[in-house]
Every structure is written in structure tokens, then in C-alpha cells.
Amino acid sequence: MLKGIHPAISPELLKTLAEMGHGDEIVLSDAHFPAHSLHSKVIRADGITVATLLKGIAPLFEFDAYVDAPLIMMQAVPGDSLDPSVEANYLDAIKSAVGFTPNLERIERFAFYERAKQAYAVVISGETAKYGNIIIKKGVTPVL
């Protein structure tokens, strides 16, 4: 184990986050997301919620400041509805970890899938919330 690394962050996920460059995106998916059919780099985080992953990732991850919204979630399909507590829970997890919440936008379901195909990796979580997927875009890490 390493000090300062949330226990939900596996060695494989930590390595992936370190490999990502600015502008790269990672998908934190719910348990129902078709990750293996959309992407070749899939990391399992079974039993761990997306909010827990966000809480662990946020202190390690610079959110892209050069885009309007470094957080992307899926819009509800017409005729369906969103549970607003899912988004609120995710933003609260980030804020509790780093003290602020980056901007978030929602995109159409199939546009989300296409964007996920271009992501650096997909993390399948144990999240069961409907529309519980989020893409995060990495920014430039400041020089220490």
C-alpha cells in the first residue's frame, strides 16, 4: 500500500491514471455499461461505487481547465428520467476530496458511447444507479 492513495484505487487504476496525458479521458461506468464491447482497455472495480472512485481519483487527478466541462454524463433517453441525486452524489464526492466541483455537461446516450470508445480506459464499477456513468477529462498537472 501507498500512503495517501485511497484504498479503492487499485494498482492497475493508479498506473492508468499516471499514464494518461492532458486531454485524455477515462470513463467511470456503472455495472451495466457495455465496456468490453466498446473498449479494449477495461479495468474492473466491482463492488465500488462511482462516488467512491471519484473521491479516490480527484486528489490524484487534475481536471482539464481548458474545456468548459471536464465532467461528462449521459442524458436521459427521451421518455426516461434522471435521478438528480446521482449527479449530486458524484459532485459531492469530488468536492469533499478537493474542495471544488468542476463543470459537468450531459450528452446524448449514443454520443456518450462514441466518446467512451475514444477514452483512454473504462473502469467498470459496482455502481447500480441508473445513468451512473461519468467521463472525466485529465488536465495539465502543475509543476511541483
Side-chain angles (χ1 to χ4, degrees):
M1 291 199 65
L2 296 172
K3 292 168 47 176
I5 305 294
H6 193 285
I9 306 301
S10 69
E12 183 181 9
L13 179 53
L14 186 61
K15 177 184 180 292
T16 298
L17 294 170
E19 289 173 346
M20 292 172 64
H22 62 85
D24 281 342
E25 296 178 339
I26 190 165
V27 179
L28 304 181
S29 81
D30 62 32
H32 309 289
F33 192 76
H36 289 283
S37 64
L38 292 177
H39 210 285
S40 60
K41 185 170 181 122
V42 176
I43 299 167
R44 304 293 306 200
D46 300 295
I48 301 171
T49 66
V50 168
T52 299
L53 289 169
L54 286 168
K55 193 176 281 192
I57 290 170
L60 307 173
F61 196 96
E62 196 68 33
F63 295 96
D64 196 335
Y66 297 111
V67 296
D68 290 335
L71 304 175
I72 301 95
M73 290 183 76
M74 194 182 293
Q75 292 174 349
V77 173
D80 209 350
S81 61
L82 294 173
D83 176 352
S85 70
V86 175
E87 179 180 321
N89 190 25
Y90 292 1
L91 296 178
D92 287 347
I94 294 169
K95 187 171 186 177
S96 74
V98 294
F100 71 97
T101 54
N103 291 334
L104 182 142
E105 72 172 312
R106 288 197 176 262
I107 61 176
E108 186 270 336
R109 176 183 174 204
F110 292 106
F112 189 96
Y113 290 156
E114 287 303 313
R115 193 147 177 181
K117 288 178 186 177
Q118 303 305 312
Y120 191 81
V122 177
V123 179
I124 300 176
S125 75
E127 185 63 58
T128 58
K130 194 172 186 181
Y131 297 103
N133 309 298
I134 188 167
I135 297 172
I136 56 177
K137 184 183 254 324
K138 189 174 186 181
V140 177
T141 305
V143 177
L144 298 175

